[in-house]
């Protein structure tokens, strides 16, 4: 007989989420098990809207390029650009084309309209400028960091000129060559130029830290934080490119770990300024190690959520999202002995699950793991249940009408 979990299920709203937690966390994470489904983005938007309006969250962060996110933040805080331009250029992974992300940006701009600067809602990307096929050139971040410092500190303190950076960077195409993702020999990440750039990036970040009192006195904290983002991105990208040139069996493990480390650093920087809502894949936000099967075999690494949790403790909360079906992707009704199968038997179409209460109800016999027939969807690992603060469950995810 299946365990009775009805008492662990509640309607989904901000108040119900907060009742699962001992206090308002500094960083509240909502995961998703698949990307690109507007039904899940609509649910995110509604829940985040309530948390902004009722719980005082003032930053919304998503799994998208942190440099592109600056374009979105400029729009939602000050109206720079147009909505069409922002969703085209401010998102990575082609996610600006999703109606749910477009609606999020539109609502954030409307929320900020007429609001004082100190109370405005900010947007941030937490991912590096990375795609599964490769990584961006470090040019944008490196030259932005150098430009910020060059305008504000004695030129003699700078470790190099911008012309030196330009010479060492060379053509951006040699950094962005997609062949380097599967063939380390095609990467420039361990070239003499790249090694020199890593040293210079480290020196520029050190100078930024050394000059913080002066920079705070002469520019805003927002401008300094943006420069710090440039520094994190430049050093992170150069590490990532170095890893792309690695020929050892640990190559993909290192790359996955470096990507989540960049996410963690961005999240911790955001949380240092105030309470943050973040939305990303469950695998990036969970407290446990992440796993993935890639062309070279299985890889395992500590997720951004695990890294952030190690720093913030109870000030980090993670609500996973689970789903029943995505029939347009071949994901049909889950087997009844799986975690998703138990949730699918609930009468409501959508529910918020008290994950720890559910773990207690299930006892020492966890549900069977669900196996996805589609690579783009990752079911929850039942062994991770005690590490969730809650589960948002959607019974059926339907295709968006074209």
């Amino acid at each position: 007989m299946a365990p009775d979990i009805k008492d662990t299920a509640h309607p989904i709203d901000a108040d119900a989420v907060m009742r699962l937690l001992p206090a308002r966390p500094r960083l509240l994470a909502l995961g998703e098990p698949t990307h690109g489904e507007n039904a899940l983005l609509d649910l995110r938007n509604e829940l985040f809207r309530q948390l902004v309006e009722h719980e005082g969250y003032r930053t919304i962060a998503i799994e998208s390029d942190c440099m592109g996110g600056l374009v979105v933040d400029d729009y939602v805080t000050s109206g720079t650009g147009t909505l069409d331009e922002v969703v085209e250029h401010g998102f990575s992974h082609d996610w600006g084309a999703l109606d749910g992300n477009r609606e999020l940006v539109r609502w954030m701009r409307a929320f900020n309209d007429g609001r004082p600067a100190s109370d405005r809602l900010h947007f941030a990307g937490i991912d590096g400028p990375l795609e599964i096929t490769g990584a961006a050139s470090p040019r944008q971040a490196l030259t932005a960091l150098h430009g910020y410092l060059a305008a504000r500190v004695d030129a003699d303190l700078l470790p190099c000129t911008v012309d030196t950076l330009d010479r060492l960077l060379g053509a951006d195409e040699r950094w962005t060559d997609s062949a380097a993702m599967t063939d380390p020999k095609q990467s420039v990440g361990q070239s003499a130029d790249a090694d020199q750039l890593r040293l210079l990036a480290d020196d520029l970040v050190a100078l930024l830290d050394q000059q913080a009192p002066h920079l705070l006195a002469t520019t805003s904290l927002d401008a300094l934080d943006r420069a710090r983002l440039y520094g994190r991105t430049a050093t992170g990208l150069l590490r990532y490119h170095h890893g792309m040139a690695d020929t050892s069996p640990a190559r993909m493990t290192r790359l996955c770990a470096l990507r989540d480390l960049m996410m963690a650093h961005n999240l911790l920087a955001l949380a240092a300024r105030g309470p943050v809502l973040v939305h990303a894949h469950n695998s990036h936000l969970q407290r446990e190690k992440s796993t993935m099967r890639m062309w070279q075999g299985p890889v395992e690494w500590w997720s951004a959520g695990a890294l952030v949790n190690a720093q913030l403790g109870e000030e980090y909360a993670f609500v996973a999202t689970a789903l029943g079906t995505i029939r347009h992707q071949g994901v049909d009704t889950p087997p009844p002995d799986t975690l998703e199968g138990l949730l699918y038997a609930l009468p409501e179409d959508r529910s918020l699950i008290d994950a720890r209460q559910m773990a207690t109800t299930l006892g020492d016999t966890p549900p069977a793991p669900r196996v996805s027939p589609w690579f783009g969807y990752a079911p929850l690992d039942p062994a991770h249940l005690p590490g969730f603060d809650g589960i948002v469950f959607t019974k059926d995810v339907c295709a968006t009408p074209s």
Side-chain angles (χ1 to χ4, degrees), residues 18 21 23-29 55-60 267-278 308 311-318:
M18 300 310 293
L21 309 172
R24 186 188 73 170
R26 179 170 287 271
L27 205 164
L28 176 53
E55 298 296 333
Y57 285 91
R58 286 298 180 267
T59 297
I60 292 177
L267 284 170
L268 289 169
L270 292 169
R273 293 291 304 272
V276 179
L277 301 169
V278 58
V308 169
Q311 293 279 338
L312 297 184
E314 288 191 353
E315 289 197 289
Y316 178 69
F318 170 48

PDB file of all heavy atoms in Angstrom, residues 18 21 23-29 55-60 267-278 308 311-318:
ATOM      1  N   MET A  18       6.909  30.118   3.252  1.00  0.00           N
ATOM      2  CA  MET A  18       7.568  30.655   4.437  1.00  0.00           C
ATOM      3  C   MET A  18       7.260  29.830   5.685  1.00  0.00           C
ATOM      4  O   MET A  18       8.087  29.745   6.600  1.00  0.00           O
ATOM      5  CB  MET A  18       7.159  32.115   4.657  1.00  0.00           C
ATOM      6  CG  MET A  18       7.530  33.041   3.500  1.00  0.00           C
ATOM      7  SD  MET A  18       9.259  32.916   2.954  1.00  0.00           S
ATOM      8  CE  MET A  18      10.093  33.568   4.387  1.00  0.00           C
ATOM      9  N   LEU A  21       9.810  27.181   6.616  1.00  0.00           N
ATOM     10  CA  LEU A  21      11.149  27.618   6.965  1.00  0.00           C
ATOM     11  C   LEU A  21      11.175  28.223   8.362  1.00  0.00           C
ATOM     12  O   LEU A  21      10.202  28.835   8.809  1.00  0.00           O
ATOM     13  CB  LEU A  21      11.636  28.645   5.941  1.00  0.00           C
ATOM     14  CG  LEU A  21      11.514  28.222   4.473  1.00  0.00           C
ATOM     15  CD1 LEU A  21      11.838  29.397   3.553  1.00  0.00           C
ATOM     16  CD2 LEU A  21      12.420  27.037   4.187  1.00  0.00           C
ATOM     17  N   ALA A  23      12.832  30.812   9.388  1.00  0.00           N
ATOM     18  CA  ALA A  23      12.840  32.270   9.251  1.00  0.00           C
ATOM     19  C   ALA A  23      13.023  32.592   7.776  1.00  0.00           C
ATOM     20  O   ALA A  23      13.335  31.714   6.968  1.00  0.00           O
ATOM     21  CB  ALA A  23      13.970  32.887  10.078  1.00  0.00           C
ATOM     22  N   ARG A  24      12.833  33.869   7.425  1.00  0.00           N
ATOM     23  CA  ARG A  24      13.051  34.262   6.035  1.00  0.00           C
ATOM     24  C   ARG A  24      14.519  34.072   5.677  1.00  0.00           C
ATOM     25  O   ARG A  24      15.391  34.685   6.295  1.00  0.00           O
ATOM     26  CB  ARG A  24      12.663  35.722   5.810  1.00  0.00           C
ATOM     27  CG  ARG A  24      12.736  36.140   4.336  1.00  0.00           C
ATOM     28  CD  ARG A  24      12.540  37.626   4.139  1.00  0.00           C
ATOM     29  NE  ARG A  24      13.705  38.401   4.573  1.00  0.00           N
ATOM     30  CZ  ARG A  24      13.875  39.699   4.328  1.00  0.00           C
ATOM     31  NH1 ARG A  24      12.955  40.364   3.675  1.00  0.00           N
ATOM     32  NH2 ARG A  24      14.948  40.334   4.761  1.00  0.00           N
ATOM     33  N   PRO A  25      14.825  33.224   4.698  1.00  0.00           N
ATOM     34  CA  PRO A  25      16.232  33.016   4.332  1.00  0.00           C
ATOM     35  C   PRO A  25      16.776  34.192   3.535  1.00  0.00           C
ATOM     36  O   PRO A  25      16.030  34.889   2.833  1.00  0.00           O
ATOM     37  CB  PRO A  25      16.198  31.738   3.485  1.00  0.00           C
ATOM     38  CG  PRO A  25      14.831  31.741   2.881  1.00  0.00           C
ATOM     39  CD  PRO A  25      13.916  32.378   3.894  1.00  0.00           C
ATOM     40  N   ARG A  26      18.075  34.400   3.632  1.00  0.00           N
ATOM     41  CA  ARG A  26      18.715  35.436   2.829  1.00  0.00           C
ATOM     42  C   ARG A  26      18.691  35.054   1.353  1.00  0.00           C
ATOM     43  O   ARG A  26      18.578  35.911   0.479  1.00  0.00           O
ATOM     44  CB  ARG A  26      20.149  35.648   3.299  1.00  0.00           C
ATOM     45  CG  ARG A  26      20.924  36.694   2.518  1.00  0.00           C
ATOM     46  CD  ARG A  26      22.238  37.009   3.189  1.00  0.00           C
ATOM     47  NE  ARG A  26      22.008  37.796   4.393  1.00  0.00           N
ATOM     48  CZ  ARG A  26      21.951  39.132   4.415  1.00  0.00           C
ATOM     49  NH1 ARG A  26      22.108  39.800   3.294  1.00  0.00           N
ATOM     50  NH2 ARG A  26      21.744  39.777   5.526  1.00  0.00           N
ATOM     51  N   LEU A  27      18.782  33.755   1.077  1.00  0.00           N
ATOM     52  CA  LEU A  27      18.775  33.279  -0.301  1.00  0.00           C
ATOM     53  C   LEU A  27      17.778  32.135  -0.403  1.00  0.00           C
ATOM     54  O   LEU A  27      17.964  31.082   0.188  1.00  0.00           O
ATOM     55  CB  LEU A  27      20.177  32.811  -0.715  1.00  0.00           C
ATOM     56  CG  LEU A  27      20.498  32.852  -2.217  1.00  0.00           C
ATOM     57  CD1 LEU A  27      22.009  32.749  -2.435  1.00  0.00           C
ATOM     58  CD2 LEU A  27      19.815  31.738  -2.968  1.00  0.00           C
ATOM     59  N   LEU A  28      16.695  32.374  -1.124  1.00  0.00           N
ATOM     60  CA  LEU A  28      15.631  31.379  -1.312  1.00  0.00           C
ATOM     61  C   LEU A  28      15.676  30.894  -2.755  1.00  0.00           C
ATOM     62  O   LEU A  28      15.489  31.669  -3.695  1.00  0.00           O
ATOM     63  CB  LEU A  28      14.264  31.996  -1.003  1.00  0.00           C
ATOM     64  CG  LEU A  28      13.033  31.122  -1.238  1.00  0.00           C
ATOM     65  CD1 LEU A  28      13.153  29.774  -0.531  1.00  0.00           C
ATOM     66  CD2 LEU A  28      11.768  31.851  -0.775  1.00  0.00           C
ATOM     67  N   ALA A  29      15.961  29.608  -2.934  1.00  0.00           N
ATOM     68  CA  ALA A  29      16.179  29.024  -4.255  1.00  0.00           C
ATOM     69  C   ALA A  29      14.991  28.161  -4.663  1.00  0.00           C
ATOM     70  O   ALA A  29      14.511  27.341  -3.878  1.00  0.00           O
ATOM     71  CB  ALA A  29      17.456  28.185  -4.252  1.00  0.00           C
ATOM     72  N   GLU A  55       7.282  39.585   1.218  1.00  0.00           N
ATOM     73  CA  GLU A  55       8.417  39.212   2.062  1.00  0.00           C
ATOM     74  C   GLU A  55       9.631  40.111   1.865  1.00  0.00           C
ATOM     75  O   GLU A  55      10.656  39.904   2.519  1.00  0.00           O
ATOM     76  CB  GLU A  55       8.810  37.745   1.800  1.00  0.00           C
ATOM     77  CG  GLU A  55       7.722  36.749   2.142  1.00  0.00           C
ATOM     78  CD  GLU A  55       7.378  36.734   3.627  1.00  0.00           C
ATOM     79  OE1 GLU A  55       8.276  37.067   4.436  1.00  0.00           O
ATOM     80  OE2 GLU A  55       6.231  36.392   3.971  1.00  0.00           O
ATOM     81  N   GLY A  56       9.535  41.093   0.980  1.00  0.00           N
ATOM     82  CA  GLY A  56      10.585  42.082   0.858  1.00  0.00           C
ATOM     83  C   GLY A  56      11.809  41.688   0.062  1.00  0.00           C
ATOM     84  O   GLY A  56      12.843  42.371   0.123  1.00  0.00           O
ATOM     85  N   TYR A  57      11.742  40.608  -0.707  1.00  0.00           N
ATOM     86  CA  TYR A  57      12.878  40.250  -1.569  1.00  0.00           C
ATOM     87  C   TYR A  57      13.036  41.322  -2.649  1.00  0.00           C
ATOM     88  O   TYR A  57      12.052  41.786  -3.215  1.00  0.00           O
ATOM     89  CB  TYR A  57      12.675  38.875  -2.188  1.00  0.00           C
ATOM     90  CG  TYR A  57      12.912  37.753  -1.200  1.00  0.00           C
ATOM     91  CD1 TYR A  57      11.870  37.233  -0.439  1.00  0.00           C
ATOM     92  CD2 TYR A  57      14.192  37.244  -1.014  1.00  0.00           C
ATOM     93  CE1 TYR A  57      12.093  36.220   0.487  1.00  0.00           C
ATOM     94  CE2 TYR A  57      14.421  36.227  -0.091  1.00  0.00           C
ATOM     95  CZ  TYR A  57      13.370  35.721   0.658  1.00  0.00           C
ATOM     96  OH  TYR A  57      13.602  34.736   1.573  1.00  0.00           O
ATOM     97  N   ARG A  58      14.299  41.699  -2.908  1.00  0.00           N
ATOM     98  CA  ARG A  58      14.541  42.766  -3.870  1.00  0.00           C
ATOM     99  C   ARG A  58      15.564  42.401  -4.946  1.00  0.00           C
ATOM    100  O   ARG A  58      16.021  43.264  -5.678  1.00  0.00           O
ATOM    101  CB  ARG A  58      14.976  44.042  -3.132  1.00  0.00           C
ATOM    102  CG  ARG A  58      13.829  44.750  -2.400  1.00  0.00           C
ATOM    103  CD  ARG A  58      12.750  45.209  -3.365  1.00  0.00           C
ATOM    104  NE  ARG A  58      11.635  45.890  -2.725  1.00  0.00           N
ATOM    105  CZ  ARG A  58      10.530  45.302  -2.320  1.00  0.00           C
ATOM    106  NH1 ARG A  58      10.377  43.990  -2.469  1.00  0.00           N
ATOM    107  NH2 ARG A  58       9.556  46.005  -1.770  1.00  0.00           N
ATOM    108  N   THR A  59      15.927  41.137  -5.058  1.00  0.00           N
ATOM    109  CA  THR A  59      16.735  40.668  -6.178  1.00  0.00           C
ATOM    110  C   THR A  59      16.154  39.351  -6.683  1.00  0.00           C
ATOM    111  O   THR A  59      15.867  38.456  -5.880  1.00  0.00           O
ATOM    112  CB  THR A  59      18.210  40.440  -5.781  1.00  0.00           C
ATOM    113  OG1 THR A  59      18.791  41.677  -5.373  1.00  0.00           O
ATOM    114  CG2 THR A  59      19.013  39.890  -6.951  1.00  0.00           C
ATOM    115  N   ILE A  60      15.976  39.255  -7.984  1.00  0.00           N
ATOM    116  CA  ILE A  60      15.590  38.013  -8.645  1.00  0.00           C
ATOM    117  C   ILE A  60      16.732  37.602  -9.553  1.00  0.00           C
ATOM    118  O   ILE A  60      17.156  38.362 -10.432  1.00  0.00           O
ATOM    119  CB  ILE A  60      14.285  38.164  -9.434  1.00  0.00           C
ATOM    120  CG1 ILE A  60      13.102  38.377  -8.479  1.00  0.00           C
ATOM    121  CG2 ILE A  60      14.044  36.940 -10.327  1.00  0.00           C
ATOM    122  CD1 ILE A  60      11.772  38.599  -9.177  1.00  0.00           C
ATOM    123  N   LEU A 267      26.083  34.115  -6.434  1.00  0.00           N
ATOM    124  CA  LEU A 267      24.989  34.089  -5.463  1.00  0.00           C
ATOM    125  C   LEU A 267      25.410  34.672  -4.119  1.00  0.00           C
ATOM    126  O   LEU A 267      24.658  35.436  -3.488  1.00  0.00           O
ATOM    127  CB  LEU A 267      24.490  32.650  -5.280  1.00  0.00           C
ATOM    128  CG  LEU A 267      23.631  32.103  -6.412  1.00  0.00           C
ATOM    129  CD1 LEU A 267      23.405  30.612  -6.240  1.00  0.00           C
ATOM    130  CD2 LEU A 267      22.291  32.838  -6.470  1.00  0.00           C
ATOM    131  N   LEU A 268      26.586  34.331  -3.656  1.00  0.00           N
ATOM    132  CA  LEU A 268      27.060  34.848  -2.369  1.00  0.00           C
ATOM    133  C   LEU A 268      27.250  36.362  -2.426  1.00  0.00           C
ATOM    134  O   LEU A 268      26.961  37.073  -1.456  1.00  0.00           O
ATOM    135  CB  LEU A 268      28.353  34.155  -1.967  1.00  0.00           C
ATOM    136  CG  LEU A 268      28.194  32.685  -1.550  1.00  0.00           C
ATOM    137  CD1 LEU A 268      29.549  32.004  -1.439  1.00  0.00           C
ATOM    138  CD2 LEU A 268      27.425  32.570  -0.231  1.00  0.00           C
ATOM    139  N   ALA A 269      27.729  36.873  -3.567  1.00  0.00           N
ATOM    140  CA  ALA A 269      27.882  38.318  -3.712  1.00  0.00           C
ATOM    141  C   ALA A 269      26.524  39.012  -3.682  1.00  0.00           C
ATOM    142  O   ALA A 269      26.368  40.081  -3.064  1.00  0.00           O
ATOM    143  CB  ALA A 269      28.616  38.636  -5.015  1.00  0.00           C
ATOM    144  N   LEU A 270      25.526  38.433  -4.335  1.00  0.00           N
ATOM    145  CA  LEU A 270      24.184  39.009  -4.311  1.00  0.00           C
ATOM    146  C   LEU A 270      23.594  38.968  -2.906  1.00  0.00           C
ATOM    147  O   LEU A 270      23.002  39.936  -2.429  1.00  0.00           O
ATOM    148  CB  LEU A 270      23.272  38.257  -5.280  1.00  0.00           C
ATOM    149  CG  LEU A 270      23.573  38.395  -6.770  1.00  0.00           C
ATOM    150  CD1 LEU A 270      22.761  37.396  -7.572  1.00  0.00           C
ATOM    151  CD2 LEU A 270      23.300  39.822  -7.246  1.00  0.00           C
ATOM    152  N   ALA A 271      23.757  37.847  -2.224  1.00  0.00           N
ATOM    153  CA  ALA A 271      23.191  37.682  -0.884  1.00  0.00           C
ATOM    154  C   ALA A 271      23.837  38.625   0.113  1.00  0.00           C
ATOM    155  O   ALA A 271      23.216  38.987   1.125  1.00  0.00           O
ATOM    156  CB  ALA A 271      23.346  36.238  -0.424  1.00  0.00           C
ATOM    157  N   ALA A 272      25.080  39.035  -0.132  1.00  0.00           N
ATOM    158  CA  ALA A 272      25.753  39.975   0.766  1.00  0.00           C
ATOM    159  C   ALA A 272      25.082  41.346   0.748  1.00  0.00           C
ATOM    160  O   ALA A 272      25.225  42.126   1.698  1.00  0.00           O
ATOM    161  CB  ALA A 272      27.227  40.107   0.383  1.00  0.00           C
ATOM    162  N   ARG A 273      24.337  41.629  -0.326  1.00  0.00           N
ATOM    163  CA  ARG A 273      23.673  42.929  -0.456  1.00  0.00           C
ATOM    164  C   ARG A 273      22.240  42.920   0.056  1.00  0.00           C
ATOM    165  O   ARG A 273      21.675  43.989   0.315  1.00  0.00           O
ATOM    166  CB  ARG A 273      23.682  43.368  -1.926  1.00  0.00           C
ATOM    167  CG  ARG A 273      25.026  43.694  -2.527  1.00  0.00           C
ATOM    168  CD  ARG A 273      25.619  44.972  -1.940  1.00  0.00           C
ATOM    169  NE  ARG A 273      24.734  46.116  -2.077  1.00  0.00           N
ATOM    170  CZ  ARG A 273      24.704  46.924  -3.142  1.00  0.00           C
ATOM    171  NH1 ARG A 273      25.518  46.686  -4.169  1.00  0.00           N
ATOM    172  NH2 ARG A 273      23.892  47.951  -3.191  1.00  0.00           N
ATOM    173  N   GLY A 274      21.617  41.736   0.183  1.00  0.00           N
ATOM    174  CA  GLY A 274      20.235  41.681   0.627  1.00  0.00           C
ATOM    175  C   GLY A 274      19.584  40.385   0.212  1.00  0.00           C
ATOM    176  O   GLY A 274      20.202  39.552  -0.458  1.00  0.00           O
ATOM    177  N   PRO A 275      18.311  40.168   0.587  1.00  0.00           N
ATOM    178  CA  PRO A 275      17.638  38.899   0.306  1.00  0.00           C
ATOM    179  C   PRO A 275      17.430  38.672  -1.187  1.00  0.00           C
ATOM    180  O   PRO A 275      17.070  39.588  -1.932  1.00  0.00           O
ATOM    181  CB  PRO A 275      16.305  39.013   1.052  1.00  0.00           C
ATOM    182  CG  PRO A 275      16.119  40.465   1.298  1.00  0.00           C
ATOM    183  CD  PRO A 275      17.471  41.084   1.383  1.00  0.00           C
ATOM    184  N   VAL A 276      17.654  37.415  -1.619  1.00  0.00           N
ATOM    185  CA  VAL A 276      17.679  37.060  -3.040  1.00  0.00           C
ATOM    186  C   VAL A 276      16.753  35.882  -3.310  1.00  0.00           C
ATOM    187  O   VAL A 276      16.726  34.913  -2.543  1.00  0.00           O
ATOM    188  CB  VAL A 276      19.116  36.680  -3.480  1.00  0.00           C
ATOM    189  CG1 VAL A 276      19.147  36.290  -4.954  1.00  0.00           C
ATOM    190  CG2 VAL A 276      20.089  37.812  -3.200  1.00  0.00           C
ATOM    191  N   LEU A 277      16.030  35.959  -4.408  1.00  0.00           N
ATOM    192  CA  LEU A 277      15.296  34.828  -4.970  1.00  0.00           C
ATOM    193  C   LEU A 277      16.072  34.341  -6.183  1.00  0.00           C
ATOM    194  O   LEU A 277      16.471  35.143  -7.029  1.00  0.00           O
ATOM    195  CB  LEU A 277      13.891  35.238  -5.399  1.00  0.00           C
ATOM    196  CG  LEU A 277      12.975  35.806  -4.315  1.00  0.00           C
ATOM    197  CD1 LEU A 277      11.719  36.413  -4.940  1.00  0.00           C
ATOM    198  CD2 LEU A 277      12.589  34.724  -3.309  1.00  0.00           C
ATOM    199  N   VAL A 278      16.288  33.027  -6.291  1.00  0.00           N
ATOM    200  CA  VAL A 278      17.021  32.504  -7.434  1.00  0.00           C
ATOM    201  C   VAL A 278      16.274  31.326  -8.032  1.00  0.00           C
ATOM    202  O   VAL A 278      15.684  30.517  -7.313  1.00  0.00           O
ATOM    203  CB  VAL A 278      18.467  32.090  -7.047  1.00  0.00           C
ATOM    204  CG1 VAL A 278      18.484  31.056  -5.943  1.00  0.00           C
ATOM    205  CG2 VAL A 278      19.237  31.576  -8.265  1.00  0.00           C
ATOM    206  N   VAL A 308      26.922  27.193  -1.596  1.00  0.00           N
ATOM    207  CA  VAL A 308      26.302  28.320  -0.905  1.00  0.00           C
ATOM    208  C   VAL A 308      25.796  27.891   0.474  1.00  0.00           C
ATOM    209  O   VAL A 308      25.941  28.617   1.471  1.00  0.00           O
ATOM    210  CB  VAL A 308      25.152  28.895  -1.758  1.00  0.00           C
ATOM    211  CG1 VAL A 308      24.316  29.879  -0.962  1.00  0.00           C
ATOM    212  CG2 VAL A 308      25.714  29.570  -3.007  1.00  0.00           C
ATOM    213  N   GLN A 311      28.251  27.999   3.162  1.00  0.00           N
ATOM    214  CA  GLN A 311      28.563  29.344   3.645  1.00  0.00           C
ATOM    215  C   GLN A 311      27.421  29.944   4.466  1.00  0.00           C
ATOM    216  O   GLN A 311      27.651  30.562   5.505  1.00  0.00           O
ATOM    217  CB  GLN A 311      28.864  30.262   2.460  1.00  0.00           C
ATOM    218  CG  GLN A 311      30.126  29.934   1.693  1.00  0.00           C
ATOM    219  CD  GLN A 311      31.376  30.470   2.365  1.00  0.00           C
ATOM    220  OE1 GLN A 311      31.311  31.400   3.165  1.00  0.00           O
ATOM    221  NE2 GLN A 311      32.504  29.877   2.063  1.00  0.00           N
ATOM    222  N   LEU A 312      26.196  29.771   3.992  1.00  0.00           N
ATOM    223  CA  LEU A 312      25.059  30.473   4.592  1.00  0.00           C
ATOM    224  C   LEU A 312      24.292  29.659   5.615  1.00  0.00           C
ATOM    225  O   LEU A 312      23.557  30.232   6.429  1.00  0.00           O
ATOM    226  CB  LEU A 312      24.095  30.935   3.495  1.00  0.00           C
ATOM    227  CG  LEU A 312      24.634  31.947   2.481  1.00  0.00           C
ATOM    228  CD1 LEU A 312      23.522  32.365   1.532  1.00  0.00           C
ATOM    229  CD2 LEU A 312      25.229  33.159   3.163  1.00  0.00           C
ATOM    230  N   GLY A 313      24.400  28.340   5.581  1.00  0.00           N
ATOM    231  CA  GLY A 313      23.661  27.516   6.532  1.00  0.00           C
ATOM    232  C   GLY A 313      22.166  27.730   6.427  1.00  0.00           C
ATOM    233  O   GLY A 313      21.584  27.645   5.338  1.00  0.00           O
ATOM    234  N   GLU A 314      21.507  28.046   7.542  1.00  0.00           N
ATOM    235  CA  GLU A 314      20.042  28.185   7.552  1.00  0.00           C
ATOM    236  C   GLU A 314      19.561  29.412   6.782  1.00  0.00           C
ATOM    237  O   GLU A 314      18.360  29.563   6.554  1.00  0.00           O
ATOM    238  CB  GLU A 314      19.524  28.245   8.987  1.00  0.00           C
ATOM    239  CG  GLU A 314      19.592  26.913   9.714  1.00  0.00           C
ATOM    240  CD  GLU A 314      18.842  26.939  11.030  1.00  0.00           C
ATOM    241  OE1 GLU A 314      18.385  28.046  11.425  1.00  0.00           O
ATOM    242  OE2 GLU A 314      18.708  25.879  11.653  1.00  0.00           O
ATOM    243  N   GLU A 315      20.481  30.285   6.378  1.00  0.00           N
ATOM    244  CA  GLU A 315      20.068  31.425   5.565  1.00  0.00           C
ATOM    245  C   GLU A 315      19.920  31.055   4.091  1.00  0.00           C
ATOM    246  O   GLU A 315      19.598  31.901   3.268  1.00  0.00           O
ATOM    247  CB  GLU A 315      21.063  32.569   5.723  1.00  0.00           C
ATOM    248  CG  GLU A 315      20.990  33.231   7.091  1.00  0.00           C
ATOM    249  CD  GLU A 315      21.659  34.581   7.097  1.00  0.00           C
ATOM    250  OE1 GLU A 315      22.902  34.621   7.026  1.00  0.00           O
ATOM    251  OE2 GLU A 315      20.935  35.597   7.148  1.00  0.00           O
ATOM    252  N   TYR A 316      20.165  29.772   3.770  1.00  0.00           N
ATOM    253  CA  TYR A 316      19.917  29.249   2.430  1.00  0.00           C
ATOM    254  C   TYR A 316      18.769  28.266   2.500  1.00  0.00           C
ATOM    255  O   TYR A 316      18.744  27.376   3.363  1.00  0.00           O
ATOM    256  CB  TYR A 316      21.158  28.547   1.871  1.00  0.00           C
ATOM    257  CG  TYR A 316      20.939  27.942   0.499  1.00  0.00           C
ATOM    258  CD1 TYR A 316      20.761  28.756  -0.612  1.00  0.00           C
ATOM    259  CD2 TYR A 316      20.887  26.558   0.313  1.00  0.00           C
ATOM    260  CE1 TYR A 316      20.549  28.213  -1.876  1.00  0.00           C
ATOM    261  CE2 TYR A 316      20.685  26.012  -0.949  1.00  0.00           C
ATOM    262  CZ  TYR A 316      20.512  26.841  -2.034  1.00  0.00           C
ATOM    263  OH  TYR A 316      20.293  26.299  -3.286  1.00  0.00           O
ATOM    264  N   ALA A 317      17.797  28.418   1.608  1.00  0.00           N
ATOM    265  CA  ALA A 317      16.669  27.485   1.537  1.00  0.00           C
ATOM    266  C   ALA A 317      16.487  27.046   0.093  1.00  0.00           C
ATOM    267  O   ALA A 317      16.663  27.843  -0.837  1.00  0.00           O
ATOM    268  CB  ALA A 317      15.385  28.134   2.053  1.00  0.00           C
ATOM    269  N   PHE A 318      16.124  25.785  -0.079  1.00  0.00           N
ATOM    270  CA  PHE A 318      15.973  25.227  -1.426  1.00  0.00           C
ATOM    271  C   PHE A 318      14.650  24.504  -1.541  1.00  0.00           C
ATOM    272  O   PHE A 318      14.367  23.553  -0.798  1.00  0.00           O
ATOM    273  CB  PHE A 318      17.123  24.262  -1.726  1.00  0.00           C
ATOM    274  CG  PHE A 318      16.935  23.466  -2.993  1.00  0.00           C
ATOM    275  CD1 PHE A 318      16.557  24.081  -4.181  1.00  0.00           C
ATOM    276  CD2 PHE A 318      17.127  22.092  -2.996  1.00  0.00           C
ATOM    277  CE1 PHE A 318      16.373  23.341  -5.348  1.00  0.00           C
ATOM    278  CE2 PHE A 318      16.956  21.346  -4.150  1.00  0.00           C
ATOM    279  CZ  PHE A 318      16.576  21.967  -5.330  1.00  0.00           C
TER     280      PHE A 318
END
